[in-house]
Structures are given as C-alpha cells and as structure tokens.
Amino acid sequence: MKILALSGSNANNSFNEALLKFIAKQFSNKYDFKLASVKGLPMFKEGEDTPESIQTLSKEIEDADLVLLGSPEQQHSVTSALSSALEWMSCATHPFRGKPVVIVSTSPMPQGASRSQSRLKSLLTAPGFNAEVFNGDEFMMGNAPKQFDENGDLIDKSTVEFLGHFFDEVDDWYAQVTK
C-alpha cells in the first residue's frame, strides 16, 4: 500500500512530522511511505489560479492509496497552514474525493491534539472533499517533547505497541472501504 504521510504543520521542529517519520520507519516493511508537508505552501486566495505546489501535492494525494495526516492543533482547530492547503484543494483540485484518510496527532499538551482531529474529520467529509475517513481507534499522543529519543524514536513501548494495533485496524478498515 502506498501511503502519503502528510504533515499538517509548518513548524521547523514539528512533533507531528517527527511522529510521521517514526511511523514510516516503524512500518517500512509493511507499507510504502512518501513524506509530504504543508510547510511553505501559499495561503489560499479565492479567485486565484491554483499554485503549482498545490497541484503537486494534489497529485501526490491522488497517487497514494491512503493519506496519513499528522495534524497538530492550534486554537482548538487545525493549523492555518493545513486549513489553507485544504481550502485550495477543496475549491480547485479535489484529490480527497473517495480517498481513504487516517489522522494521527501529537501535541505538547496532554490531550494530544484531539480537537484538531475532530475538526479535521468534519472538514474531510464535507462537500468538496468527500474523503473516506477512518473512525476506529484514534491515535493522539500528548506530552510530545517527552515522547521521542534523540534518534526520533518513541520511548514508550506501549505507545509503539498501540501503533501496531492501530495499523491493524487501519488495514481492516482499508480492506472494507476499497472493496
């Protein structure tokens, strides 16, 4: 399965990007990962032509079997960078139509960006997106600065074990939505 691991952060040292990199490394024998980010994408401007960088990201989404979205939380919602990228795509390119999407998140705060996940699930099922969003177990990891070692690996074995369980559920769900 080809997975586009898309970071919804524009931070220089993004914990969500670190999480996606760990997942890609941890499950590299099971899935084919490509990493992407909304970092540096232009802000949405209604009535403007779709920028090449948005077209490129849209093509990467279309080419993936599944999108794994790492979504940080800002002001109880998704980041402005992710929101802007999604606005471009919902108005111009529509790469999420029928696309299986799985959301993971981490945050310095204890709740692990839970509100961002809720908001993002709502957005991705709206007209203009119509994505197939995974609603099984959720992966939200709080206290992000304490979760990674110097190599970018997760420290807590039970968290790594839960990720294995989480992706087993994702596999089952994916088989159902792609019949």
Side-chain angles (χ1 to χ4, degrees), residues 76-78 114-124:
H76 297 200
S77 189
V78 300
S114 59
R115 293 170 292 210
S116 171
Q117 282 202 22
S118 294
R119 180 72 179 126
L120 192 51
K121 287 177 181 182
S122 176
L123 288 170
L124 289 171

Side-chain angles (χ1 to χ4, degrees), residues 41-58:
L41 294 176
M43 293 298 291
F44 176 73
K45 293 180 186 171
E46 192 169 349
E48 297 283 321
D49 289 339
T50 308
E52 187 174 327
S53 56
I54 297 294
Q55 292 177 18
T56 298
L57 179 57
S58 293

Side-chain angles (χ1 to χ4, degrees), residues 101 121 125 133-138 169 173:
V101 177
K121 287 177 181 182
T125 57
V133 180
F134 177 70
N135 279 309
D137 272 339
E138 297 176 312
E169 281 195 17
W173 168 80

